[in-house]
């Protein structure tokens, strides 16, 4: 039984409308895809950029600091460090009276100086000593030293040589019990020999400007007299941790001995 004419016409009209809507949607989707395809950016080939520089650092032959010469900040930093390494470390204008001068000296050059013992209860004095020791380690290309003295004077002491309110020399020590003889020329240790020692010279240094004035020996004499209360050490109760070229010559003149083989020996110990 066929549908009435009116109902057939309505169904036909609905069918045409549905087709137009679907066609319109398909067309819209197609246009959107086309637009998206045209506007979508193609991925670029990414390349990693490498920066090559020709920056070369200069190493100062005197203070051993490395810096970039054409950078103003580096130059200024080096100049400040260099002055301290060559001329000494300022004690500070308001702290000169707090330092405990244990000896007064007049050098052959006519300069007056004094030896002070760093007071471990003074953070300022410890700070100055540590700053100078950091410079010493830099100049000597040495590892960080033992600073047990900063917490307990029974573990060691620090003596400074002061000229015009500047620490121009330093000697830091530590308490030890034994060491060995070392052949000065070769650096070889004498086997099967233990040497009884009491004090070890951890670091000793004199600023370049004040060398060859006898300051190093004066610091060593102070170590002999002031390391242990009421006891003056002999030279052969004192050993050296790692003498540099300057320290080696000083050690040789201070407590070097001549072996029967003709070789010169100096007492050394292993720093803790």
């Amino acid at each position: 039984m066929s549908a009435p004419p009116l109902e057939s016409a309505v169904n036909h009209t609905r069918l045409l409308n549905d087709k137009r809507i679907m066609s319109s949607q398909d067309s819209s989707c197609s246009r959107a895809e086309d637009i998206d395809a045209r506007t979508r950016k193609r991925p670029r080939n990414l390349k990693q950029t490498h920066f090559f520089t020709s920056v070369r650092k200069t190493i100062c032959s005197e203070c051993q600091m490395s810096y970039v010469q054409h950078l103003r900040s580096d130059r200024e930093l080096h100049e400040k460090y260099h002055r301290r390494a060559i001329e000494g470390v300022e004690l500070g204008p308001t702290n000169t009276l707090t330092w405990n001068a244990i000896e007064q000296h007049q050098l052959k050059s006519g300069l007056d100086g004094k030896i002070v013992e760093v007071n471990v209860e003074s953070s300022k004095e410890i700070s100055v000593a540590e700053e100078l020791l950091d410079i010493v380690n830099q100049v000597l290309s040495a590892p960080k030293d033992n600073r047990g003295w900063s917490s307990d004077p029974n573990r060691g002491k620090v003596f400074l040589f002061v000229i015009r309110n500047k620490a121009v020399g330093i000697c830091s020590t530590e308490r030890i019990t034994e060491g060995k003889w070392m052949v000065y020329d070769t650096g070889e240790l004498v086997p099967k020999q233990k040497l009884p020692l009491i004090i070890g010279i951890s670091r000793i240094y004199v600023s370049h400007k004040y060398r060859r004035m006898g300051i190093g020996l004066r610091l060593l004499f102070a170590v002999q007299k002031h390391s242990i209360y009421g006891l003056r050490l002999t030279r052969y109760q004192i050993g050296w941790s790692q003498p540099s070229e300057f320290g080696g010559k000083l050690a040789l003149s201070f407590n070097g001995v001549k072996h029967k083989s003709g070789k010169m020996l100096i007492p050394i110990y292993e720093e803790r």
Side-chain angles (χ1 to χ4, degrees):
M1 183 174 176
S2 61
L6 180 58
E7 185 178 351
S8 297
V10 170
N11 290 338
H12 181 68
T13 301
R14 287 176 177 171
L15 182 60
L16 291 176
N17 287 337
D18 291 342
K19 288 182 177 181
R20 281 198 298 269
I21 291 171
M22 292 178 63
S23 177
S24 175
Q25 289 176 345
D26 291 342
S27 177
S28 297
C29 291
S30 178
R31 284 197 301 272
E33 291 174 358
D34 291 341
I35 293 173
D36 185 59
R38 289 195 302 270
T39 59
R40 188 184 300 123
K41 294 182 179 180
R42 295 180 179 180
R44 296 178 180 177
N45 293 327
L46 302 178
K47 294 183 179 180
Q48 185 175 3
T49 303
H50 297 273
F51 293 94
F52 295 93
T53 64
S54 57
V55 174
R56 301 176 66 179
K57 289 191 173 183
T58 300
I59 300 179
C60 178
S61 60
E62 292 183 318
C63 71
Q64 299 301 312
M65 181 179 180
S66 62
Y67 64 102
V68 181
Q69 199 167 23
H70 71 267
L71 292 180
R72 180 178 176 181
S73 59
D74 261 31
R75 288 199 311 272
E76 290 176 348
L77 186 63
H78 168 252
E79 289 171 3
K80 181 179 179 181
Y81 178 87
H82 187 88
R83 282 195 304 271
R84 295 183 177 185
I86 303 303
E87 301 180 7
V89 175
E90 288 277 358
L91 300 187
T94 61
N95 297 295
T96 54
L97 297 178
T98 65
W99 294 83
N100 178 27
I102 56 177
E103 294 181 7
Q104 300 286 340
H105 293 277
Q106 186 176 59
L107 303 176
K108 293 179 179 179
S109 61
L111 290 172
D112 291 326
K114 61 184 178 182
I115 294 179
V116 301
E117 180 182 328
V118 173
N119 180 5
V120 297
E121 295 182 359
S122 169
S123 59
K124 174 62 179 178
E125 295 187 23
I126 290 176
S127 176
V128 171
E130 289 187 331
E131 180 181 355
L132 190 50
L133 284 171
D134 288 340
I135 291 175
V136 173
N137 289 335
Q138 172 80 15
V139 173
L140 300 181
S141 299
K144 187 173 177 63
D145 50 298
N146 185 341
R147 299 189 182 177
W149 56 265
S150 63
S151 58
D152 183 359
N154 292 319
R155 297 176 61 185
K157 293 187 176 182
V158 173
F159 302 94
L160 302 177
F161 198 94
V162 178
I163 296 177
R164 294 172 180 169
N165 205 36
K166 283 185 177 181
V168 303
I170 187 169
C171 183
S172 64
T173 70
E174 58 182 322
R175 291 291 299 269
I176 57 176
T177 57
E178 65 179 28
K180 295 182 177 181
W181 288 108
M182 184 185 80
V183 181
Y184 175 73
D185 290 339
T186 64
E188 297 177 351
L189 299 179
V190 176
K192 299 179 181 179
Q193 284 193 15
K194 290 185 178 181
L195 182 64
L197 298 173
I198 296 177
I199 291 294
I201 305 298
S202 173
R203 298 291 185 274
I204 187 166
Y205 178 80
V206 177
S207 301
H208 285 255
K209 184 177 178 179
Y210 297 96
R211 290 185 177 178
R212 298 182 179 87
M213 295 185 183
I215 292 176
L217 278 175
R218 283 176 167 82
L219 285 168
L220 291 173
F221 295 153
V223 169
Q224 282 185 273
K225 290 193 297 182
H226 303 286
S227 290
I228 301 176
Y229 181 76
L231 176 65
R232 183 184 177 94
L233 301 174
T234 71
R235 298 186 182 203
Y236 305 104
Q237 291 174 313
I238 298 173
W240 303 78
S241 65
Q242 47 173 345
S244 61
E245 181 181 357
F246 167 77
K249 292 178 180 179
L250 185 60
L252 199 61
S253 65
F254 179 69
N255 59 358
V257 298
K258 192 172 184 178
H259 189 257
K260 60 183 179 181
S261 64
K263 296 289 186 179
M264 294 300 297
L265 309 178
I266 58 175
I268 63 110
Y269 75 100
E270 185 177 356
E271 189 169 16
R272 291 171 292 190

